[in-house]
Amino acid sequence: GYRRRCSYRTKSNHVRKSMTPGGKLSLHYVGKKGTNPKCGDCGNDIIGVPALRPREYHGISKRKKTVSRAYGGSRCGGCVRLRIVRAFLIEEQKIVKKVLQEQ
């Protein structure tokens, strides 16, 4: 048999049994899986950023945590496109208003 640190079957208490070269059974604690960062607007996964546990982001370089784009690593590409189009259309609308007022 084997003995765990904590006896309950919780999410953080998963173990993998592994044989040592001496023929003994030992336990390796399996860490929890990380989840993908989500877009702040639509809630979908952000593509291009790895799914890690929060502390593991501390150890990787900045270029692996972001995407090289406006709002990269915070908003997904589709939402950024929407923002740009929306801003452009609002500006066009202002120009149209100004032209109509001048007439």
Side-chain angles (χ1 to χ4, degrees):
Y2 62 89
R3 212 160 141 249
R4 301 188 217 194
R5 261 185 248 152
C6 143
S7 60
Y8 299 110
R9 186 165 167 260
T10 59
K11 278 187 283 188
S12 62
N13 198 29
H14 282 304
V15 290
R16 184 186 292 128
K17 285 176 274 191
S18 84
M19 273 292 201
T20 62
K24 284 183 186 165
L25 257 187
S26 78
L27 289 188
H28 289 179
Y29 278 84
V30 181
K32 290 201 273 189
K33 267 203 179 105
T35 56
N36 271 54
K38 304 277 187 278
C39 169
D41 289 349
C42 64
N44 292 335
D45 289 353
I46 289 175
I47 307 214
V49 183
L52 301 174
R53 297 295 299 163
R55 179 69 182 158
E56 290 174 324
Y57 285 113
H58 175 76
I60 64 172
S61 63
K62 187 176 179 180
R63 67 170 212 86
K64 289 178 187 158
K65 288 181 270 204
T66 62
V67 185
S68 54
R69 172 178 57 232
Y71 297 100
S74 162
R75 303 288 185 265
C76 68
C79 291
V80 174
R81 183 184 296 140
L82 259 173
R83 280 171 183 235
I84 293 169
V85 169
R86 190 177 295 139
F88 172 75
L89 290 175
I90 289 170
E91 289 301 313
E92 289 289 298
Q93 200 63 33
K94 285 178 188 170
I95 294 166
V96 169
K97 264 186 195 160
K98 195 180 276 182
V99 167
L100 286 176
Q101 279 177 352
E102 284 170 4
Q103 284 177 354

